[in-house]
Amino acid sequence: MAKRTYPGRTVVGAVVAATAVAGLTVAVGAPAAAHGTAGSGDAALRTLRVQPPFLKPAELPPHASSAWFAGPVTPGLPDPEPFCLDGGALPGGEGTYHRFFHTDYDTHAAQVSVVTGSAEQARRLAASWEGTIAGCAADWLRDTPGGTASWDDYGTVAVGDGAHVYGVHTSVPDSEPGVHLFAVGRSGARVTVVHWAEMGDLTQAPVSAFKKTTKAAVTKLGWTVGRWPKGSLRATGLQIAGVGVRLPATGRRPACTAGRRPRPPAPPGRIRRHA
């Protein structure tokens, strides 16, 4: 039988069952204190690596001649990894998820999200990705004799704990040029990168629309109780904080009605005084 506790204490038994009912993919790990997400007295709270919400096809920059299509959200590293972020930039293992998107043409996209152990780990991972993307054009030129490349910094997007948008253009003789947009953003212990690409150059890149995509992606990283859509964890009363799940401290003792006989209703015209 699940252990019943009161505000400010840990719920051990019912958390996994309630989360499973909500339809989320979870994996029970070590106590949350081992990941730096719990305070004193929380040793019994288990960490749940909750899959972050991902973009929907309609949230990507509109294509002039095609709808967007999406694959499933999949645990682990994408294959292939996004341009500029291949070769070890993306951490594998538990807490990493990805999703591919495509159109009927060459335009395609990918999103990778990582649930780290803390907000500081997410900050460092996001900074690492930004540095890799900013240096991608120069790295590509060193490995591609005869090619041309350029990049641009399209600035930040005010969402979550911060997001940044970049563009990269590459071209080789006798081949179509390629244009890439990247968005790196984080919220709490979660960090995401969105990659959009098609044939063309930076003058054709849908930067304004991609910034809207960026805002949508990072906003979803920060969804918690009270901001999740209908049908998610709202009904369970759970609060998600990066990788930890706990009951919110409401300051009120939960009502316990087990074994009580309900009071009969007051007769019409009379007011029952509270005993």
Side-chain angles (χ1 to χ4, degrees), residues 109-138:
Q111 181 182 6
V112 181
S113 294
V114 179
V115 182
T116 70
S118 68
E120 176 59 22
Q121 289 181 20
R123 185 195 67 78
R124 291 198 300 264
L125 182 58
S128 173
W129 287 352
E130 288 190 43
T132 300
I133 293 167
C136 180

Side-chain angles (χ1 to χ4, degrees), residues 132 156 199 222 250:
T132 300
T156 60
M199 290 187 294
T250 62

Side-chain angles (χ1 to χ4, degrees), residues 79-155:
D79 185 15
E81 295 174 296
F83 177 67
C84 291
L85 292 172
D86 50 354
L90 303 174
E94 183 185 359
T96 297
Y97 303 87
H98 68 272
R99 189 177 203 182
F100 287 116
F101 304 87
H102 69 276
T103 64
D104 290 330
Y105 297 87
D106 63 289
T107 309
H108 59 279
Q111 181 182 6
V112 181
S113 294
V114 179
V115 182
T116 70
S118 68
E120 176 59 22
Q121 289 181 20
R123 185 195 67 78
R124 291 198 300 264
L125 182 58
S128 173
W129 287 352
E130 288 190 43
T132 300
I133 293 167
C136 180
D139 292 340
W140 184 86
L141 279 176
R142 281 192 289 269
D143 296 334
T144 313
T148 59
S150 60
W151 73 286
D152 206 341
D153 183 338
Y154 293 116

